[in-house]
């Protein structure tokens, strides 16, 4: 295990030495292999303070140690008979890539790896995180369901909420194939991430991979969540619980959005919308935390299009793992909110609703109004 320093020493000395050496080589006209930082993992990182480690790798040292113990054996088995890259190098290098927009070359030099080795390690870690996603991102059931419901009850007078759903865009480099399909209304390229979260920002369902040009309704109806609920709604909502969404989502008996305001809303409906909006902000904060912690998600520049969705899902898995331990995340959320302001997803209207869902929303609206009289 690392023993992290408590002083303010950092890796700046190594960075300066590497910069000076590289500049010298350029002046001398040498074109040999890139200069690597020797001992960065073995010497420099253990001397980082806990806060320095957290700002570099976007998680506390304790969370990292738990993560390494959890997936280290899986990474070793994934290597097979190939020459082994130390697990710590693989995992820390991958976390650095996810936490920063740094190039593969610069990160490889920092962790004393060949660029190809770092790339292979990154893919390996991403696959392992995807393999354990079902263990980490789970729909609340049993006692967990009751605890989640109670948390939402403390935030709102609307009873029965067990999650908030929304979608967000992850900007990507223009793909080589079907590039027009990935264009958003801002003429950028993006992949959609649909997620449901609890009041404490943990994701309980994630679905990534549809192009940014696809609307929220189509993403929802093609998601694993939709298919699973259609097969067995009672297992997801055993006591008529529901999730809440914004106006882009249909009114269903298990998904309740606000009333669309066209100037005709009653006072009760306005109160309902205001209350719902206050609770639904948790999903916005969850996305902000995800993008603020893993800044690579601000703009994904990857050669392997087939790995874009797995990288996004790997970040959601790490998001939940980090939230399993106490960690002050307000600074990460602030960073993420700034990113999300640059990437607003337009909402749709005119989505067909279920009659049963409309009756349920009206009941909840009237009940809330009576409680506030």
């Amino acid at each position: 295990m690392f023993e992290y320093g408590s002083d303010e020493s950092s890796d700046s000395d190594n960075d300066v030495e590497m910069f000076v050496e590289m500049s010298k080589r350029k002046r001398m006209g040498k074109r040999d292999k890139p200069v690597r930082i020797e001992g960065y993992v073995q010497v420099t990182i253990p001397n980082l303070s806990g806060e320095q480690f957290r700002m570099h790798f976007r998680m506390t040292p304790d969370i990292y140690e738990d993560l390494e113990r959890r997936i280290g054996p899986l990474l070793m088995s994934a290597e097979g008979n190939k020459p082994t890259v130390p697990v710590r190098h693989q995992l820390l290098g991958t976390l650095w890539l996810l936490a920063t927009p740094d190039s593969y070359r610069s990160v490889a030099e920092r962790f004393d790896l060949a660029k190809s080795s770092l790339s292979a390690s990154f893919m390996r870690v991403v696959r392992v995180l995807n393999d354990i996603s079902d263990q980490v991102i789970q729909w609340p059931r049993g006692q967990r369901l009751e605890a989640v419901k109670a948390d939402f009850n403390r935030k709102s007078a609307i009873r029965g909420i067990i999650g908030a759903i929304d979608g967000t865009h992850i900007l990507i480099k223009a793909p080589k194939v079907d590039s027009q399909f990935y264009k958003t209304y801002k003429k950028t390229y993006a992949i959609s991430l649909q997620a449901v979260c609890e009041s404490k920002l943990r994701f309980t369902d994630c679905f990534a991979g549809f192009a940014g040009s696809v609307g929220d309704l189509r993403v929802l109806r093609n998601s694993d969540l939709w298919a699973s609920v259609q097969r067995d709604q009672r297992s997801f909502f055993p006591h008529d619980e529901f999730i809440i969404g914004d106006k882009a989502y249909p009114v269903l008996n298990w998904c309740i959005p606000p009333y669309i305001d066209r100037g005709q809303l009653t006072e009760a409906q306005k109160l309902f919308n205001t209350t719902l909006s206050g609770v639904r902000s948790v999903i916005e904060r969850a996305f902000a935390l995800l993008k603020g912690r893993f800044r690579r998600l601000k703009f994904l520049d990857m050669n392997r299009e087939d790995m874009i969705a797995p990288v996004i899902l790997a970040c959601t898995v790490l998001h939940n793992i980090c939230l399993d331990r106490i960690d002050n995340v307000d600074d990460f959320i602030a960073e993420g909110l700034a990113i999300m302001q640059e990437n607003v997803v337009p909402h749709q209207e005119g989505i067909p609703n279920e009659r049963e869902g409309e009756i349920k929303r009206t009941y909840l609206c009237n009940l809330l109004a009576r409680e506030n009289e």
Side-chain angles (χ1 to χ4, degrees), residues 149-166:
K149 191 160 47 175
D151 285 339
F152 274 112
N153 287 347
R154 284 190 283 270
K155 295 178 180 292
S156 170
I158 301 176
R159 297 293 182 260
I161 301 172
I162 61 170
I165 188 172
D166 205 353

Side-chain angles (χ1 to χ4, degrees), residues 183-365:
K183 274 196 173 181
T184 67
Y185 79 113
K186 283 189 173 183
K187 308 303 181 185
T188 55
Y189 297 89
I191 288 290
S192 292
L193 167 64
Q194 174 190 278
V196 180
C197 79
E198 305 172 358
S199 65
K200 294 181 179 179
L201 310 186
R202 276 182 59 92
F203 292 125
T204 57
D205 185 83
C206 293
F207 180 70
F210 265 74
S213 56
V214 177
D216 287 338
L217 177 60
R218 183 178 169 193
V219 174
L220 173 63
R221 287 186 170 172
N222 284 276
S223 67
D224 296 333
L225 175 64
W226 177 275
S228 299
V229 172
Q230 299 311 303
R231 286 194 301 268
D232 188 3
Q233 181 175 329
R234 188 59 60 183
S235 69
F236 285 81
F237 309 98
H239 304 294
D240 292 324
E241 297 90 354
F242 55 92
I243 59 177
I244 58 176
D246 64 15
K247 63 183 181 181
Y249 290 90
V251 185
L252 310 169
N253 66 341
W254 57 272
C255 181
I256 303 294
Y259 291 92
I260 296 176
D261 189 356
R262 298 189 178 94
Q264 83 298 349
L265 296 186
T266 66
E267 291 303 315
Q269 291 170 337
K270 291 178 182 178
L271 173 63
F272 180 82
N273 280 6
T274 300
T275 304
L276 205 69
S277 177
V279 183
R280 197 184 59 79
S281 64
V282 296
I283 187 63
E284 297 171 357
R285 287 173 58 81
F287 283 145
L289 175 56
L290 178 71
K291 294 182 178 183
R293 191 190 296 273
F294 303 113
R295 291 169 291 180
R296 177 75 54 175
L297 296 182
K298 181 177 180 180
F299 183 80
L300 274 176
D301 184 358
M302 299 183 62
N303 294 327
R304 293 272 305 270
E305 288 181 43
D306 62 311
M307 290 299 294
I308 292 176
V311 167
I312 295 171
L313 184 57
C315 289
T316 64
V317 171
L318 290 171
H319 169 98
N320 274 12
I321 289 174
C322 290
L323 287 176
D324 285 340
R325 299 288 296 266
I326 298 175
D327 185 20
N328 181 14
V329 297
D330 289 344
D331 53 342
F332 293 159
I333 291 176
E335 290 183 44
L337 287 172
I339 294 173
M340 292 175 67
Q341 288 174 358
E342 304 171 5
N343 183 26
V344 178
V345 181
H347 296 306
Q348 305 169 349
E349 294 188 14
I351 295 175
N353 301 323
E354 286 183 355
R355 178 62 179 164
E356 186 178 350
E358 291 180 333
I359 293 173
K360 185 171 186 174
R361 182 172 65 174
T362 299
Y363 168 77
L364 294 169
C365 177

